[in-house]
Amino acid sequence: MIVTTKKLFEAAYGKYAIGAYNINNLEQTMGLFRGNLDSQAPFIIQISKGARKYSDKRMLEALIRAADEIFPEAIFAVHLDHGDEETCMDCIKSGFYSSVMIDASHEDFETNVAITRRVVEAAHERGIVVEAELGQLGGVEEHVKVDEANAKLTDPDKAKEFVERTGCDSLAVAIGTSHGAYKFSGSQALRLDVLAEIQKRLPGFPLVMHGSSSVPQEEVERINKAGGNLKGAKGVDENAFRRAAELGVTKVNIDTDGRLVWTRVHREYFMQHPEEIDLRPIGKIFMAEYAKFIAHKNEKLGSAGRLPEVRALLSA
Ligand code: G3H
Ligand code: 13P
Ligand code: ZN
């Protein structure tokens, strides 16, 4: 059943966070639904602009509709990840997405407010909810001075003004993470202190943490042993998710860790089976491993086991 992220956040706020997972193909879709049902978790499917272009935007929609039929127990939101204004409007018009992210965080504050406001108006007219972003993720290097690094993080006072002026339904905040497999070098860290300040200004308002892959070292080692080259890859401590949830984070975005599962499974399999040319045996292994990975993340997020209470809340 497709629901809005807003509904999921009402159930989760302050207690746990919902996993938001990016998909690009059939195998990820099947693994995603299985993993969430195995762990009895509500979840968010994220579709990026790149994923919409990979084959055809209608292909992912069709896969999700099919999965919804195959797994009728599943409760999830369909969310556009890092949309620009044009893509947001396309998704809002399509009637399929229950939630969109407008990412105008690279613009100056006033432009970000104006673009976000336009998307919010169009989305709310159709009952679709909007995630916006303030602050900039990642790319902060060791040599950058503390003042400069802090300038990229979300300013708590500005966050309050931004939410009030845009009417967005949730806010992605920059608290020290970055996208991809190389997040923290040297002294960089997750800034739960900044998150706490944002929550003080926006009590009860759902916050979103992007760039939340943990880049498990065991996974990196297995990939490197099987011919990969991911030296120095490092991610977010997944044991910090529960504290972040207490501080208002209701959505945690994870994509890179899923890519690592895909890479490890395929590299190891083809090393061990150089004669193999059938894509299905490896596809089956990947789906099972991806499902295990999703269930594990949901345990860490605290969303595992919450499906019955979310179902009860939705039908109340
Ligand atoms: O934040 C970005 C997500 O990891 C999606 O990546 O744009 O390559 O699909 P993508
Ligand atoms: P990771 O690269 O840490 O998985 O972050 C994904 C993300 O933020 C998608 O929007
Ligand atoms: Zn992101």
Side-chain angles (χ1 to χ4, degrees):
M1 180 186 10
I2 300 176
V3 298
T4 60
T5 44
K6 193 180 175 118
K7 284 274 169 215
L8 298 180
F9 297 160
E10 279 164 15
Y13 190 89
K15 292 183 284 191
Y16 61 94
I18 314 271
Y21 304 105
N22 292 67
I23 59 155
N24 293 271
N25 67 10
L26 176 153
E27 288 77 10
Q28 266 183 320
T29 309
M30 288 299 282
L32 179 66
F33 276 78
R34 281 184 190 154
N36 282 300
L37 285 185
D38 290 348
S39 57
Q40 289 288 289
F43 61 105
I44 299 167
I45 301 181
Q46 303 217 110
I47 303 178
S48 71
K49 261 179 86 178
R52 279 160 60 89
K53 277 201 197 126
Y54 172 53
S55 58
D56 184 294
K57 62 185 181 187
R58 290 166 296 185
M59 189 58 83
L60 286 177
E61 283 193 29
L63 280 173
I64 296 166
R65 284 188 208 282
D68 196 17
E69 273 181 46
I70 298 165
F71 303 97
E73 275 180 77
I75 298 178
F76 58 99
V78 181
H79 175 78
L80 169 69
D81 190 25
H82 291 285
D84 52 25
E85 188 170 4
E86 189 190 347
T87 313
C88 282
M89 295 304 185
D90 191 56
C91 292
I92 291 165
K93 277 188 216 128
S94 85
F96 181 66
Y97 292 70
S98 58
S99 168
V100 294
M101 176 190 187
I102 173 67
D103 181 359
S105 58
H106 49 282
E107 303 282 359
D108 62 68
F109 185 78
E110 288 302 325
T111 313
N112 189 356
V113 167
I115 296 172
T116 301
R117 182 73 222 149
R118 287 199 291 272
V119 171
V120 166
E121 275 167 15
H124 285 183
E125 249 174 51
R126 294 184 187 227
I128 294 163
V129 298
V130 179
E131 173 185 327
E133 179 165 338
L134 185 67
Q136 281 196 358
L137 256 72
V140 184
E141 303 297 337
E142 241 336 64
H143 63 268
V144 173
K145 288 196 206 105
V146 176
D147 283 0
E148 292 171 41
N150 276 341
K152 292 184 184 271
L153 301 179
T154 304
D155 175 334
D157 292 323
K158 285 278 179 199
K160 182 173 162 53
E161 182 188 343
F162 184 83
V163 167
E164 284 168 358
R165 288 178 60 192
T166 61
C168 65
D169 303 280
S170 61
L171 185 70
V173 291
I175 51 168
T177 65
S178 60
H179 291 111
Y182 302 88
K183 296 190 195 296
F184 303 112
S185 63
S187 59
Q188 288 162 229
L190 186 61
R191 296 288 302 273
L192 292 177
D193 56 326
V194 176
L195 184 61
E197 288 304 313
I198 299 169
Q199 192 196 32
K200 264 189 211 158
R201 269 86 163 175
L202 289 166
F205 189 78
L207 304 173
V208 178
M209 211 165 99
H210 282 246
S212 304
S213 280
S214 59
V215 190
Q217 290 308 294
E218 191 207 327
E219 201 77 302
V220 172
E221 276 162 29
R222 284 176 71 174
I223 289 169
N224 288 345
K225 237 178 145 175
N229 182 10
L230 297 177
K231 291 195 183 74
K234 200 172 170 194
V236 175
D237 177 3
E238 55 191 11
N239 294 315
F241 293 160
R242 297 301 286 268
R243 180 69 193 127
E246 287 168 5
L247 294 172
V249 168
T250 50
K251 174 172 178 277
V252 168
N253 285 16
I254 297 169
D255 184 21
T256 297
D257 283 349
R259 295 180 184 202
L260 293 179
V261 174
W262 182 90
T263 307
R264 183 252 302 165
V265 165
H266 286 78
R267 280 197 177 278
E268 286 186 348
Y269 185 81
F270 286 114
M271 277 236 307
Q272 289 154 13
H273 301 88
E275 75 297 344
E276 184 63 86
I277 59 163
D278 187 346
L279 55 103
R280 290 164 299 194
I282 174 73
K284 274 190 184 171
I285 296 171
F286 173 69
M287 286 189 270
E289 288 294 300
Y290 198 76
K292 265 204 301 204
F293 147 75
I294 295 288
H296 166 80
K297 286 292 174 191
N298 292 339
E299 292 292 337
K300 294 291 178 184
L301 293 164
S303 62
R306 304 283 183 169
L307 204 52
E309 69 189 55
V310 170
R311 183 169 294 107
L313 256 169
L314 290 171
S315 54

